[in-house]
Amino acid sequence: MKVRRSDRLIDMTRYLLERPHQLVSLTFFSERYGSAKSSISEDLTILKRTLKARGTGLLETVPGAAGGARFIPYIPQQEATEFVDGVIESLSEADRFLPGGYVYMSDLLGRPSVLRQVGRLVATQYLEDEIDTVLTVATKGIPIAQSISDYLNVPFVIARHDSQITEGSTVSVNYVSGSSSRIEKMALSKRSLTPDSRVLIVDDFMKGGGTVGGMQSLVKEFDAKVAGVAVFAEGTFEGERKVPKYTSLLKIHATNDHVDVTAGNFAEQIYTPERLTQFQD
Amino acid sequence: MKVRRSDRLIDMTRYLLERPHQLVSLTFFSERYGSAKSSISEDLTILKRTLKARGTGLLETVPGAAGGARFIPYIPQQEATEFVDGVIESLSEADRFLPGGYVYMSDLLGRPSVLRQVGRLVATQYLEDEIDTVLTVATKGIPIAQSISDYLNVPFVIARHDSQITEGSTVSVNYVSGSSSRIEKMALSKRSLTPDSRVLIVDDFMKGGGTVGGMQSLVKEFDAKVAGVAVFAEGTFEGERKVPKYTSLLKIHATNDHVDVTAGNFAEQIYTPERLTQFQD
């Protein structure tokens, strides 16, 4: 059955968008639509142009009969900045202020439109890196880790403070929680990470960096490598954090009676001059 | 700037797929592409046909100048069955068997391709219902809840066993954990659910139904309504569960030395005769 170009374009868009970073072969599309590879190649050229022009992502095309296409989602700087500004505005509402200088943000981290943009943003930073697994610790880092894993199209794994029978054998580490100086423990299923894999560490909030440090120790116990650290928000911290270079979307400065939310360091981390060139038309 | 049909179709596909269940107006698309509403209407007709033919979802079009289109994702029965069969095959591997008759499945629930299909599947059941919020309890129900929330395009909220300062004021309930007959507690931020809202309860695993029962009590405390219950897997349970009608993707029957995994009740729950008519060409 031969398929019209308009139908092919719609279905290819859907198919590629659901499989970020995965190479889909010309042969596959050619058989799916009963169309010549030359027509599929033309379709991919149109797709590439539109996805770039609309700031949706890059379509990497691998030439030749054995080639294909890979969709790499990204978010342009302006859209990212507008998104973060919107989040700052929401979080600055007075009724979010909680006793002890905390900010209520669980609602935002349960909203699909917010999580999608957080995922796109962090995935933009790692669009050319090999990431094998996203690692977070229960509970509040999970939604962010999941969204990033969705856009990078790699699995995510969850370390836990309480090890559960359903995790099988686990590896656990002790770490000093930066904010309270207490010794805490986190465990990760032995089946979670493979040696030499590249792991992106993700959490919702980082203050002293103790929890992120715990995750770094876990990664080391598995003989894997930390490929990066990304947090939704960082709190103000006096002193030096024992964490590698990290990316934050927001900075939260809380005092006893109010909270200042500003943009994190994402712009300088993600929108490097070379990446900006790549995104431009 | 006028935009060619092929470019419009690619961008509209992307735009609508990222916003399931949301009405996007003809006016919006017409301004976005500098094209006449009549051309946009034709585009939508093509989109509708392709999305249906490929089993991606329904495109509901609202006629008239004030109209627009709404993308309703679903998964056709055959694709759903093949997906669940694949999961059964994975889970039946001998090395997943854990002491005490448990099955290791955390890796599957961290894999984007699996989570997307779980989300599509459960969203298919509720495609015509008004769901306002998806509710789960930490930790392992979260990824499933998030994926369902993504396809229904509604927020999800997380009840917790330990109430955290960052949740603000909470409402808590006690419940009897079915499997261990212990009294447990779960808490949910007071800001999470609104009165009269319709809540879809989600968890990774249900045995006696105690945890699901706890979530039902929570919903009641908020004067909200349970719109449905969906679990990834149900375990064998002798006796009557005190839960309403539920949907399960898998049934897990564990003995001391092996585990049987079979399909849950999803087919009879989701693929009702009327829904099948709707999906057909």
Side-chain angles (χ1 to χ4, degrees):
Chain A
M1 186 194 67
K2 220 162 167 299
V3 176
R4 270 173 289 193
R5 164 147 293 155
S6 54
D7 292 318
R8 288 202 306 262
L9 289 174
I10 292 165
D11 190 60
M12 286 168 91
T13 303
R14 198 267 304 170
Y15 195 90
L16 288 163
L17 260 61
E18 283 179 357
R19 289 161 185 79
H21 291 265
Q22 182 186 317
L23 183 70
V24 183
S25 71
L26 274 184
T27 310
F28 172 82
F29 282 133
S30 161
E31 285 170 5
R32 185 174 174 93
Y33 308 124
S35 307
K37 286 189 182 173
S38 55
S39 309
I40 302 291
S41 280
E42 286 166 30
D43 296 343
L44 291 174
T45 306
I46 301 171
L47 264 162
K48 186 173 189 157
R49 185 185 62 216
T50 304
L51 293 175
K52 189 164 188 174
R54 295 282 165 190
T56 304
L58 300 168
L59 193 71
E60 272 184 13
T61 43
V62 179
R70 192 196 321 265
F71 171 63
I72 316 276
Y74 66 69
I75 181 168
Q77 182 163 16
Q78 196 189 334
E79 194 181 338
T81 305
E82 284 169 10
F83 164 69
V84 171
D85 287 348
V87 172
I88 290 172
E89 202 178 325
S90 296
L91 288 182
S92 305
E93 291 157 7
D95 62 359
R96 291 186 172 271
F97 184 78
L98 296 174
Y102 290 92
V103 184
Y104 181 73
M105 55 185 199
S106 298
D107 59 332
L108 291 184
L109 297 181
R111 211 173 282 170
S113 58
V114 173
L115 290 171
R116 280 183 210 124
Q117 295 294 62
V118 173
R120 276 178 76 196
L121 236 159
V122 178
T124 300
Q125 182 167 3
Y126 295 97
L127 59 80
E128 281 176 319
D129 291 10
E130 288 273 324
I131 303 286
D132 297 299
T133 311
V134 175
L135 166 66
T136 190
V137 63
T139 302
K140 294 199 301 168
I142 301 174
I144 297 168
Q146 179 166 347
S147 186
I148 296 168
S149 116
D150 197 37
Y151 280 94
L152 290 174
N153 210 8
V154 299
F156 67 98
V157 297
I158 305 168
R160 302 178 57 131
H161 295 291
D162 54 334
S163 72
Q164 291 261 325
I165 192 162
T166 48
E167 297 300 302
S169 315
T170 56
V171 173
S172 75
V173 295
N174 295 305
Y175 65 99
V176 181
S177 166
S179 38
S180 58
S181 292
R182 275 185 316 188
I183 304 287
E184 306 219 35
K185 189 177 176 167
M186 63 170 86
L188 184 61
S189 169
K190 273 191 89 166
R191 308 177 193 220
S192 293
L193 298 176
T194 45
D196 294 321
S197 61
R198 292 176 53 83
V199 180
L200 175 59
I201 292 176
V202 168
D203 210 353
D204 63 321
F205 189 72
M206 176 173 74
K207 203 168 182 179
T211 309
V212 167
M215 286 191 266
Q216 279 181 272
S217 307
L218 263 183
V219 171
K220 212 174 155 187
E221 287 297 328
F222 281 88
D223 293 318
K225 293 189 181 68
V226 175
V229 174
V231 298
F232 183 66
E234 59 172 307
T236 27
F237 180 69
E238 306 289 329
E240 213 184 320
R241 290 187 182 105
K242 286 180 198 139
V243 299
K245 212 163 72 172
Y246 63 88
T247 305
S248 64
L249 270 55
L250 303 168
K251 277 201 179 103
I252 297 186
H253 178 70
T255 62
N256 280 335
D257 60 356
H258 84 292
V259 173
D260 279 326
V261 188
T262 53
N265 68 4
F266 71 95
E268 65 211 71
Q269 293 291 323
I270 299 179
Y271 298 100
T272 57
E274 9 168 69
R275 202 168 276 132
L276 288 174
T277 317
Q278 208 181 5
F279 294 171
Q280 261 149 27
D281 259 324
Chain B
M1 185 195 66
K2 219 162 169 298
V3 177
R4 270 173 289 193
R5 164 147 294 153
S6 53
D7 293 318
R8 289 201 305 264
L9 289 174
I10 293 165
D11 191 59
M12 287 168 91
T13 303
R14 197 268 304 171
Y15 196 90
L16 288 162
L17 260 61
E18 283 179 357
R19 290 161 184 78
H21 291 266
Q22 181 185 318
L23 184 69
V24 183
S25 71
L26 274 185
T27 309
F28 172 82
F29 281 132
S30 160
E31 286 170 4
R32 184 175 176 92
Y33 309 123
S35 308
K37 285 188 183 174
S38 55
S39 309
I40 302 292
S41 280
E42 288 165 26
D43 296 343
L44 291 174
T45 306
I46 300 171
L47 264 163
K48 186 175 190 155
R49 185 185 62 216
T50 304
L51 293 175
K52 189 166 189 174
R54 295 281 165 190
T56 306
L58 300 167
L59 193 71
E60 272 184 15
T61 42
V62 179
R70 192 195 322 263
F71 171 64
I72 316 276
Y74 66 69
I75 181 168
Q77 183 164 14
Q78 195 190 334
E79 194 181 338
T81 305
E82 284 169 8
F83 164 69
V84 171
D85 287 347
V87 173
I88 290 172
E89 201 177 326
S90 295
L91 288 183
S92 305
E93 291 157 6
D95 63 358
R96 290 185 173 273
F97 184 78
L98 297 174
Y102 290 91
V103 184
Y104 182 73
M105 56 186 197
S106 298
D107 59 333
L108 291 184
L109 298 181
R111 210 173 284 170
S113 58
V114 172
L115 290 169
R116 280 183 210 122
Q117 295 293 62
V118 172
R120 278 178 76 197
L121 236 160
V122 177
T124 300
Q125 181 167 4
Y126 296 97
L127 58 80
E128 281 177 317
D129 292 10
E130 288 273 325
I131 303 286
D132 296 302
T133 311
V134 175
L135 166 66
T136 191
V137 63
T139 303
K140 293 200 300 168
I142 300 173
I144 298 168
Q146 178 166 346
S147 185
I148 296 169
S149 117
D150 197 38
Y151 280 94
L152 291 174
N153 210 7
V154 300
F156 68 98
V157 296
I158 304 168
R160 302 178 58 130
H161 295 292
D162 54 333
S163 73
Q164 291 260 326
I165 192 162
T166 48
E167 297 300 301
S169 315
T170 56
V171 173
S172 74
V173 296
N174 295 305
Y175 65 98
V176 181
S177 165
S179 38
S180 58
S181 293
R182 275 184 315 186
I183 303 288
E184 305 221 35
K185 189 175 178 170
M186 62 169 87
L188 184 62
S189 167
K190 274 192 88 166
R191 308 177 192 219
S192 294
L193 298 176
T194 46
D196 294 320
S197 61
R198 293 175 52 83
V199 180
L200 174 59
I201 291 176
V202 168
D203 210 355
D204 64 320
F205 189 73
M206 175 172 75
K207 202 166 183 181
T211 309
V212 167
M215 286 192 265
Q216 279 182 271
S217 307
L218 263 183
V219 171
K220 212 173 155 188
E221 287 297 328
F222 281 87
D223 294 317
K225 292 187 182 70
V226 176
V229 175
V231 297
F232 182 66
E234 59 172 307
T236 29
F237 181 68
E238 305 290 329
E240 215 183 319
R241 291 186 181 106
K242 286 179 197 142
V243 298
K245 210 163 71 171
Y246 64 88
T247 305
S248 63
L249 270 56
L250 302 168
K251 276 198 180 104
I252 296 185
H253 178 70
T255 63
N256 280 336
D257 60 358
H258 83 292
V259 172
D260 278 327
V261 187
T262 52
N265 68 4
F266 71 94
E268 65 210 70
Q269 294 291 322
I270 298 177
Y271 298 100
T272 57
E274 9 168 69
R275 203 168 276 134
L276 288 174
T277 319
Q278 208 181 5
F279 294 171
Q280 260 149 26
D281 259 324

